Amino acid sequence: VNMWTHEIGRHQAANLPLLRTVFEVHLRLMRGGGGDTKQTTKPLLLFILRDWDESTPSDSLRETIVQDLSKIWEEITKPPGSEEAQLTDFFQLECECLPHFKFQKQEWGEKVEQISRRF
C-alpha cells in the first residue's frame, strides 16, 4: 500500500475504505468454504510510507496505521466462526519508510533497492 506520510490517519486519503473491502473479501474467501482462520501463509500488507522526514518516528507511524486497520477490522461483519479473529490471524502487517524523493534521491533509491530485494 503506497501512502504519503502526511496522509496517515486521514481515512479517505490513506486508502482505508479500499482496505476495508480487502478485509471483507478475504474473510469471505477464507471462511466462506469453511476454511480455517489460521492460514499457513498469510498475505503481506506492506505499507510503503513516502516522503518520511524522520520528524515522526517510524514506530509511531506504524502504530497509527495498525490502530486504523484494527478499527476497520473491528467494524466489519465477520462470517460465523471468525467473530473473535484478529487482523493478524489473516494478514502480516509491515511498514517501510522511504525518504523524500525530491530532497533525498540517493537515500530513496537505496531504500527502494533494499525493499525490492525482499521480493
Side-chain angles (χ1 to χ4, degrees):
V1 179
N2 189 23
M3 185 182 297
W4 301 100
T5 55
H6 66 271
E7 292 177 345
I8 296 172
R10 294 175 46 209
H11 189 75
Q12 291 293 332
N15 294 317
L16 296 181
L18 176 60
L19 288 171
R20 177 187 190 95
T21 302
V22 169
F23 293 166
E24 291 171 339
V25 169
H26 188 71
L27 267 176
R28 276 196 305 256
L29 291 172
M30 295 309 299
R31 295 298 292 170
D36 185 8
T37 59
K38 297 289 185 188
Q39 299 167 230
T40 56
T41 305
K42 296 183 259 185
L44 171 64
L45 292 178
L46 176 60
F47 290 82
I48 303 296
L49 309 178
R50 306 275 312 258
D51 293 352
W52 180 55
D53 63 8
E54 299 182 26
S55 64
T56 303
S58 61
D59 289 342
S60 177
L61 295 173
R62 184 187 191 292
E63 182 179 320
T64 301
I65 290 170
V66 170
Q67 287 173 355
D68 288 345
L69 296 176
S70 295
K71 182 178 179 194
I72 292 169
W73 184 260
E74 293 302 317
E75 292 173 352
I76 65 172
T77 303
K78 297 172 190 71
S82 297
E83 298 88 354
E84 299 300 318
Q86 300 297 308
L87 177 62
T88 54
D89 292 337
F90 289 91
F91 296 96
Q92 296 177 60
L93 304 175
E94 293 184 27
C95 295
E96 291 284 351
C97 295
L98 289 179
H100 197 289
F101 177 75
K102 185 175 180 181
F103 302 117
Q104 297 173 290
K105 284 188 181 185
Q106 181 175 344
E107 293 89 346
W108 187 91
E110 291 168 359
K111 186 66 176 185
V112 168
E113 178 65 29
Q114 176 189 356
I115 293 168
S116 67
R117 281 194 298 265
R118 292 178 53 191
F119 304 98

